[in-house]
Amino acid sequence: MNKNRARNKELLRSLKFLLFSISAGIIEIAVFTILNELTGWSYWPCYLIGLVLSVLWNFTLNRRYTFQSASNVPVAMVKVFVFYCVFTPLSTVLGNFLAEELLWNEYLVTVLNMAANFILEFLYDRFFVFRDSIDTNDLARKKAEGMPGK
């Protein structure tokens, strides 16, 4: 594969990740907003529930369509789970501190957490979780079969 094709492929992969992350972000902020506005709960349970639902959505779509990985789903999920074992406590504690103690706007805090999550998870998924299995699923194989000169 020439450099331009490889660069374009990675650019498209990044764009797909962005679009799926936006959809996951919509899920996260919608769940957060519903819980924040209707339950009277503190910041952290609203954030945590929204985060978990968005992660499940994002993992499923990005594994299949962005990274087109045929890797073992439980193994990939465990790797993502390990990422969230670090990210979730840090972002939850920091977010709760900013929203509850420093009285930052809870929506601003959530958006900042979402931006950090987007950047860190893309790098983690691309270079660790799916590193050796990118473009190995049935979608990637069908696409490769249909491309002349590959």
Side-chain angles (χ1 to χ4, degrees), residues 25-43:
I26 290 168
I27 290 169
E28 182 175 341
I29 203 73
V31 170
F32 175 82
T33 299
I34 290 166
L35 295 174
N36 189 53
E37 297 300 325
L38 300 180
T39 65
W41 294 347
S42 65
Y43 175 83

Side-chain angles (χ1 to χ4, degrees), residues 9 13 16 20 60-70 133-147 150:
K9 194 171 195 174
R13 191 180 320 281
K16 285 180 189 176
F20 290 138
T60 302
L61 292 176
N62 279 311
R63 180 183 173 278
R64 173 106 175 121
Y65 299 106
T66 302
F67 299 107
Q68 297 185 351
S69 173
S133 67
I134 290 176
D135 297 333
T136 57
N137 73 4
D138 59 331
L139 293 175
R141 281 195 308 276
K142 286 177 189 174
K143 191 173 186 179
E145 290 168 2
M147 293 181 76
K150 183 155 184 201

Side-chain angles (χ1 to χ4, degrees), residues 71-80 129:
S71 68
N72 184 308
V73 174
V75 170
M77 286 186 109
V78 166
K79 289 177 179 180
V80 171
V129 176

Side-chain angles (χ1 to χ4, degrees), residues 89-105:
L90 290 175
S91 64
T92 303
V93 168
L94 179 60
N96 196 64
F97 175 75
L98 294 173
E100 301 293 330
E101 302 299 323
L102 298 184
L103 302 177
W104 284 27
N105 180 281

